[in-house]
Amino acid sequence: MLEPDLKAQLKAYLERATRPIQITASVDDGEKSAQMLSLLDDLQEASALISVDVVRDDDERKPSFALTSPGQDMHLRFAGLPMGHEFTSLVLALLQVGGHPPKAAGETLEQVRNLEGEFLFETYYSLSCQNCPDVVQALNLMAVLNPNIRHVAIDGALFQDEVEAREIMSVPTVFLNGKPFDQGRMSLEQIVAKIDTGAEERMAKQIAAKDPFDVLVVGGGPAGAAAAIYSARKGIRTGVAAERFGGQVLDTLSIENLVSVPHTEGPKLATALEQHVREYDVDIMDLQSAEALVPAGDDGLHEIQLANGASLRAKTVVVSTGARWRQMNVPGENEYRNKGVAYCPHCDGPLFKGKHVAVIGGGNSGVEAAIDLAGIVAHVTLLEFDVKLRADEVLQRKLRSLPNVTILTSAQTTKVLGDGKRVTGLAYTDRTSGESREVALEGIFVQIGLLPNTEWLKGTVELSDRGEIITDSHGRTNVPGVFAAGDCTTTPYKQIVIAMGEGSRAALAAFDHIIRTSAPAAAEAGAAA
């Protein structure tokens, strides 16, 4: 099942396990069960601590396998073959069941151990989804730490009947005790905060008690991470408040233009960014959404008001809140979001196998999405508002060579159609003839660019017509002591490497601002003494 190189790597990883790992496989006579048993044989060969039992007459999903350790009360299971992006989830689960300590923050681990109640989580994933492993890994860890928590990770493509019955049209989708819990990427902290009802209030109190920062970075993407590192290296008090560390990078599948890194994936880069920041004395505050900026008054401190009611104060602020997927803003889009309307073809594409879908947008992202989807679905209809596609010519040639793709230009999407439960089609206007038309389909993938996350700054910081923060050559905004960097600014070419550079520059400019504004006060204090 596994290639020799991967077997060697797996064996090296499993040397970190310190206690026995018991795998119980539930199988039938199907091909997928045979493949799973082959995978489990490879796991057993990789470590003397692993043992495998096979059962055929139980009521579990088939094929699936449970992981535990003798004497331990753990309940986690993989339904299907966790390969692709989920192979890392399997390796981590083996290590954690085998006694290897997790890397999560100690207070979060303790919070998980103290959760009371009975929790049965079921996560539906796809093997091509880069967002799914975070959720699977977080819930697996929770099942290892707390015997009251059970988790089953389910390959949606393999258990298609369940996907249809539960009307799952986006991954990851999580059920808790048989009822919908949440969809999309979630961190361990986010999941715990959602089921630990007092967590937000406790966090708000902790934040409110914090001393002012020299530099407060708002946002945890590439720009924010770079700003935090450059600030901390100056030896000044640095904090980061972010909704999710990694930002838009977490939703990026393949990265091949980061100088000196020939290839990586978004989640891997996001993890590396956070690990680098944590090497310094930086106060990272996750799950924090900024709602308002109050410019500095007589005390010289800016205030960032958060959604949980707490506030943070700082001498300088670096705003790096990035951007999000732009929506079509047509009737039915919000109603059918995650019910056929999707924004990540890599994540959700496998759920539409054999179906008819549309891609909205003829730029590089849209055309790449259409090419990828054409290998999975029955047919792709690409709609572009302009008179021609805007993607690179090499991508257009590839797209036009595919037999199951229809390209519609001068097409303005006007409405998402559905039956109340899921998407059934879309309506568009032919901008050449003015005629209204409809396309019958089961999925719509929106790929029309990004929208800056700056609504919370309106009225305090000068924004462009597109909502981007206007900055000068030093990353300064019109508010003294407030800087900005990355995709939320007017800086052209929204690229990871540019965002990193912009974040570094903004941090250096913030440090320079602190020096220049505090020097006179220090001098006066010295003279008075």
Side-chain angles (χ1 to χ4, degrees), residues 196-425:
D196 184 357
T197 54
E200 185 174 16
E201 184 178 351
R202 292 196 301 272
M203 177 59 71
K205 289 181 179 178
Q206 293 174 10
I207 288 176
K210 292 181 182 293
D211 293 330
F213 294 93
D214 292 311
V215 176
L216 176 62
V217 181
V218 183
I229 290 169
Y230 267 73
S231 297
R233 286 175 62 86
K234 293 295 185 181
I236 57 179
R237 179 166 163 74
T238 303
V240 176
E243 288 191 50
R244 57 173 189 164
F245 214 100
Q248 191 76 10
V249 166
L250 289 166
D251 302 324
T252 304
L253 180 61
S254 179
I255 300 170
E256 298 177 344
N257 57 359
L258 184 58
V259 180
S260 82
V261 182
H263 177 268
T264 187
E265 295 176 349
K268 291 182 179 180
L269 178 59
T271 299
L273 289 172
E274 183 171 1
Q275 289 176 344
H276 193 177
V277 172
R278 290 188 182 278
E279 289 182 3
Y280 297 93
D281 187 16
V282 176
D283 189 344
I284 298 177
M285 294 158 280
D286 288 318
L287 310 182
Q288 301 307 315
S289 176
E291 285 202 337
L293 163 67
V294 180
D298 294 339
D299 62 356
L301 297 174
H302 301 283
E303 179 183 347
I304 298 294
Q305 297 176 348
L306 303 174
N308 62 13
S311 292
L312 293 165
R313 296 173 298 155
K315 295 178 181 177
T316 62
V317 174
V318 176
V319 178
S320 57
T321 46
R324 63 188 183 276
W325 291 116
R326 186 182 297 274
Q327 294 185 255
M328 298 181 291
N329 292 321
V330 300
E333 180 177 14
N334 288 330
E335 180 183 355
Y336 291 103
R337 187 184 180 106
N338 295 326
K339 298 178 182 178
V341 175
Y343 300 84
C344 180
H346 302 295
C347 302
D348 300 332
L351 298 179
F352 294 84
K353 183 178 181 180
K355 298 180 180 180
H356 186 165
V357 303
V359 172
I360 312 299
N364 282 348
S365 296
V367 171
E368 287 174 350
I371 293 170
D372 289 344
L373 289 167
I376 302 172
V377 304
H379 192 274
V380 179
T381 300
L382 185 144
L383 294 89
E384 164 57 35
F385 180 86
D386 205 349
V387 296
K388 61 180 180 180
L389 301 183
R390 295 168 286 107
D392 295 342
E393 183 60 34
V394 63
L395 294 175
Q396 293 192 42
R397 287 199 300 269
K398 174 63 176 176
L399 181 70
R400 296 181 192 279
S401 73
L402 300 174
N404 62 335
V405 173
T406 299
I407 301 171
L408 302 176
T409 56
S410 297
Q412 180 179 0
T413 304
T414 56
K415 187 176 183 179
V416 174
L417 307 176
D419 60 7
K421 293 183 177 180
R422 60 181 64 197
V423 166
T424 59

Side-chain angles (χ1 to χ4, degrees), residues 14 16-24 43-44 47-53 66-70 74 90-100:
L14 292 177
R16 304 173 187 178
T18 59
R19 64 189 179 202
I21 303 167
Q22 175 65 49
I23 301 177
T24 302
L43 298 181
Q44 195 168 15
S47 173
L49 290 175
I50 295 178
S51 60
V52 177
D53 289 335
L67 301 179
T68 190
S69 182
M74 302 175 184
L90 171 59
V91 175
L92 284 175
L94 289 167
L95 288 174
Q96 290 161 3
V97 169
H100 186 68

Side-chain angles (χ1 to χ4, degrees), residues 293-297 300-302 314-317 460-461 475-483 509-510 513-514 517:
L293 163 67
V294 180
L301 297 174
H302 301 283
K315 295 178 181 177
T316 62
V317 174
T460 55
V461 173
R476 292 179 291 226
T477 71
N478 64 308
V479 179
V482 177
F483 304 80
H513 176 85
I514 292 171
T517 55

Side-chain angles (χ1 to χ4, degrees), residues 34 129-130 152 212 245-246 284 294 370 439 441 477 521:
C129 170
Q130 75 269 23
V152 185
F245 214 100
I284 298 177
V294 180
V439 180
L441 43 80
T477 71

